[in-house]
Amino acid sequence: MALYGTGVWLIRGKSPEVKAGVIAQLSRGQKALCMFRVFYDHAHKSSAEYYAWISYMLDTPGYWNGVQEGLLFFEDTAMIRLLEETRSMLEQRNDRLGRQWSEAAFKDMEQDQELARQIGVLYESFGQLSGMSLKAIAAYIRAHPGEFVELA
């Protein structure tokens, strides 16, 4: 599949099986970009979205590893460290409260001021690092346009 955008539109709102099938057809670079965009497009809107999306990715088979592999592809070690720090903090919270990833909700941020504070700090770092991630990804695409775009 030569066009990244084609894959994204084919998976939006689809079943996990359809998503997996489309993603499996992508090149390694396209898959890395797709997984980053699935994560970034949801998480960048607010600290609550960041919290909820991290929890969702950890609860949904293939998402967390897919995003991590995508970040490795683009050699984005800073973002990998941030996501691992976020995962660790949330795992500790879930263990302490006896909660599952699937129980995360936006209201958690309103009801737990410590969670809101911790996620706020991590989200601020995410905002700074994601700009660098986007620049690195853009540079890779410019250097390898044939992997992402078909020119007619």
Side-chain angles (χ1 to χ4, degrees):
M1 192 171 291
L3 296 175
Y4 156 72
T6 303
V8 170
W9 296 114
L10 288 173
I11 65 173
R12 188 165 298 194
K14 302 294 188 211
S15 72
E17 296 80 19
V18 169
K19 289 178 182 181
V22 170
I23 290 171
Q25 295 177 39
L26 299 175
S27 71
R28 192 164 171 242
Q30 289 170 333
K31 181 178 178 182
L33 175 60
C34 180
M35 294 307 296
F36 177 81
R37 289 304 305 252
V38 165
F39 162 60
Y40 175 80
D41 288 353
H42 288 88
H44 82 279
K45 297 173 187 170
S46 70
S47 60
E49 293 273 358
Y50 178 79
Y51 161 69
W53 191 251
I54 295 284
S55 297
Y56 177 79
M57 288 191 322
L58 287 161
D59 190 49
T60 306
Y63 275 48
W64 183 260
N65 289 339
V67 170
Q68 294 288 355
E69 289 169 15
L71 292 169
L72 278 172
F73 179 85
F74 292 117
E75 300 177 1
D76 194 347
T77 56
M79 185 64 78
I80 291 170
R81 281 192 303 273
L82 175 66
L83 294 184
E84 285 300 324
E85 182 181 350
T86 304
R87 180 195 54 76
S88 178
M89 185 275 294
L90 291 175
E91 272 182 348
Q92 290 174 18
R93 178 181 184 272
N94 284 352
D95 289 347
R96 187 178 71 248
L97 299 176
R99 297 189 65 185
Q100 302 296 313
W101 294 118
S102 60
E103 296 176 74
F106 291 117
K107 65 180 175 152
D108 296 346
M109 299 279 289
E110 298 166 8
Q111 297 173 347
D112 184 338
Q113 293 304 308
E114 182 59 18
L115 172 66
R117 185 193 67 72
Q118 290 176 311
I119 291 294
V121 169
L122 294 165
Y123 178 72
E124 186 175 317
S125 294
F126 170 71
Q128 294 166 356
L129 292 176
S130 62
M132 291 185 290
S133 298
L134 292 167
K135 286 178 186 174
I137 292 168
Y140 182 88
I141 292 170
R142 281 192 296 278
H144 305 90
E147 189 174 345
F148 298 92
V149 181
E150 244 178 43
L151 301 174

